[in-house]
Amino acid sequence: MASQDNTHRLYGVPHSLYTGIARCYLRTQGITYTEIPTTDADFHTRILPIIQRSIIPVLETPQGDIVQDSLDIIDHFEQQGVQYSAYPDGLLQRVLSVIIAYYGTQAMLPHAMHYRWSYREAQEGFLHDQFAAGAGEAMADKIMSRMNAYLPQLGVDAHTVPEIEASYLQL
């Protein structure tokens, strides 16, 4: 469903780390977009069959092209030329920027999820509000429980928490 105007459609949710990366980039570049929650029927009927898995963010261009993943969304616009490139000009600086981006989005993921879920009682109201805004009231608790259950897979448990917090403070 190509947009009739020049507005991009960003499928994501308010609390998503990766949707936040794409949202920040679009705002910085002044790219017109509408953020659409994954509860939208269009996401289920049109987007999911194309991308073949339930993952966000997904960008739909006004021309109807589908771009999935925050870094692919950034690269999509970088290839077209933007006012404020996300990548430095120098080769060494570019390599370092990719390493830092990877570190922030992948290596720090256990830290981010630890601070989001290990202190869940202290921020339950905020989390529920944000998950309900993105997924609907009925699904919020189910999704929160599923996300919370990922902690062991990320290496976050009672034994690793002191090291995770110490490494975060050191960083």
Side-chain angles (χ1 to χ4, degrees):
M1 177 169 115
S3 176
Q4 299 303 319
D5 57 21
N6 205 25
T7 302
H8 294 77
R9 298 166 58 97
L10 179 65
Y11 291 93
V13 292
H15 59 274
S16 164
L17 168 69
Y18 299 105
T19 301
I21 292 169
R23 182 186 309 117
C24 179
Y25 182 84
L26 294 172
R27 285 180 181 167
T28 299
Q29 300 300 345
I31 296 167
T32 305
Y33 74 98
T34 300
E35 190 165 335
I36 301 168
T38 55
T39 54
D40 187 85
D42 222 27
F43 183 74
H44 293 279
T45 58
R46 286 187 329 94
I47 303 301
L48 282 179
I50 294 169
I51 63 173
Q52 305 274 315
R53 59 188 178 147
S54 184
I55 193 164
I56 53 172
V58 175
L59 180 86
E60 183 176 16
T61 70
Q63 297 75 30
D65 296 325
I66 303 296
V67 184
Q68 177 214 315
D69 185 69
S70 54
L71 297 181
D72 288 343
I73 291 169
I74 290 170
D75 288 343
H76 169 79
F77 290 106
E78 290 288 318
Q79 291 168 4
Q80 297 177 17
V82 290
Q83 185 173 1
Y84 309 106
S85 179
Y87 303 109
D89 290 333
L91 180 60
L92 178 59
Q93 291 83 359
R94 186 173 289 245
V95 168
L96 289 173
S97 75
V98 170
I99 291 169
I100 290 168
Y102 175 81
Y103 190 78
T105 60
Q106 302 303 312
M108 293 298 292
L109 186 60
H111 299 74
M113 294 301 106
H114 158 64
Y115 282 110
R116 178 178 277 185
W117 298 111
S118 296
Y119 299 106
R120 185 171 172 177
E121 288 180 18
Q123 52 192 3
E124 185 74 24
F126 170 77
L127 288 169
H128 185 80
D129 179 66
Q130 292 299 297
F131 275 80
E137 193 70 36
M139 290 296 294
D141 288 326
K142 289 179 184 177
I143 294 171
M144 288 169 57
S145 293
R146 187 178 75 218
M147 296 295 291
N148 194 92
Y150 289 145
L151 287 179
Q153 295 173 30
L154 294 171
V156 180
D157 59 37
H159 295 85
T160 61
V161 163
E163 291 299 320
I164 289 170
E165 291 187 359
S167 69
Y168 174 75
L169 292 174
Q170 182 181 13
L171 177 66

